[in-house]
Amino acid sequence: MVNFTSGRNTAKKIAQADSVAVIGLGRFGASLALELMDSGTNVLGIDLDSEIVQELNGELTQVVRADATKREALEQLSINEFDRVVVAIGTHLQASILACSKLLSMGVPNVWAKALDDQHGLILEQLGVHHIIYPEKEMGKRVAHLVRGAMMDYLEIDSGFAMVKMNSPKVLHGLRLGDSKLRKHYGVTVAARANAEGKWQNADADTVLKPGDRILVLGPIEDTEAFGQLPE
């Protein structure tokens, strides 16, 4: 069953704009949808829970109560006209798999799906889902890296490679980055710096770091972790 407040044509209009459909508006899905809205993206939110739909009514471009495991419901919402759909169903494995299967069969070009665990992720991969997200797993890894060092933020860009935000270490204060032989000694590169006022700028060979500066560092995970533990 599909329940719109604005009519079927609204979903089609959303699909024609810079837009994303988010299926499953639990904690992860709702947070993602609201963040997309804040960035200026139109969002069609879909969930079976009428209370959730009511809570988010007015917060997203459109919120619909619908069963995303039913092809008819997805067709009524013109999902095939969206080029990006996120399946953020959090607790029902079968519903997640069925929704992804329907989206792929309808030719949606970019399907993102939340995986509950590695086994779920493997099934989604075998279905042909384009992007698989492991929110709990990835957050756990990120927090673990932050706990181990003095880093302010951590992002694993790809397997074995990371970007880290941290305070500039004492060993670099007063030195031109071009003279520091940073990559030779530590295996990392400083990509940007922010001064005490919080203004970020790209870093280059002439950049000189000062106490209180924050920096973005790129490099292999082991090297960025070791560099992140240097005294400030």
Side-chain angles (χ1 to χ4, degrees):
M1 175 183 178
V2 180
N3 179 18
F4 309 66
T5 57
S6 305
R8 177 179 176 178
N9 290 335
T10 304
K12 295 192 70 171
K13 290 178 181 178
I14 296 172
Q16 293 167 1
D18 177 22
S19 57
V20 176
V22 179
I23 298 172
L25 298 173
R27 184 168 55 185
F28 171 72
S31 176
L32 171 66
L34 291 169
E35 187 68 25
L36 287 167
M37 288 291 295
D38 286 344
S39 69
T41 301
N42 290 307
V43 177
L44 169 65
I46 304 169
D47 201 282
L48 258 180
D49 190 320
S50 58
E51 290 186 9
I52 290 176
V53 170
Q54 185 62 35
E55 286 175 5
L56 290 172
N57 187 32
E59 299 292 326
L60 308 181
T61 311
Q62 186 185 19
V63 193
V64 176
R65 181 181 179 275
D67 184 351
T69 68
K70 306 295 184 184
R71 186 184 181 99
E72 180 183 7
L74 295 174
E75 289 176 343
Q76 288 184 39
L77 291 169
S78 302
I79 285 294
N80 59 306
E81 297 187 28
F82 284 79
D83 60 4
R84 293 167 293 172
V85 179
V86 180
V87 179
I89 297 171
T91 55
H92 300 288
L93 180 65
Q94 183 177 1
S96 168
I97 294 169
L98 284 172
C100 288
S101 177
K102 295 294 187 298
L103 293 169
L104 293 168
S105 70
M106 294 171 71
V108 176
N110 280 289
V111 177
W112 297 70
K114 174 184 176 180
L116 306 178
D117 52 35
D118 289 339
Q119 184 177 10
H120 184 194
L122 179 60
I123 295 171
L124 296 175
E125 182 180 341
Q126 291 171 339
L127 278 176
V129 171
H130 310 100
H131 309 279
I132 301 170
I133 314 159
Y134 297 87
E136 289 83 3
K137 183 178 180 180
E138 290 168 4
M139 180 57 71
K141 288 174 64 177
R142 176 171 173 266
V143 172
H145 285 287
L146 296 176
V147 169
R148 282 203 295 267
M151 298 172 285
M152 303 167 70
D153 207 348
Y154 170 93
L155 174 65
E156 187 170 330
I157 298 172
D158 206 342
S159 178
F161 203 84
M163 178 171 66
V164 167
K165 181 169 75 171
M166 58 180 285
N167 289 322
S168 61
K170 188 176 181 179
V171 293
L172 294 182
H173 293 167
L175 284 178
R176 289 178 66 254
L177 288 179
D179 297 330
S180 67
K181 298 182 179 179
L182 187 61
R183 196 173 302 175
K184 177 181 177 181
H185 293 310
Y186 300 102
V188 301
T189 300
V190 175
R193 68 176 283 270
N195 58 24
E197 287 73 42
K199 183 179 179 180
W200 285 95
Q201 294 180 324
N202 291 330
D204 56 29
D206 292 325
T207 298
V208 177
L209 299 179
K210 302 175 183 178
D213 284 350
R214 286 171 291 160
I215 56 176
L216 290 180
V217 179
L218 299 171
I221 290 174
E222 290 185 1
D223 293 333
T224 54
E225 282 194 338
F227 189 73
Q229 295 178 26
L230 293 174
E232 298 174 14

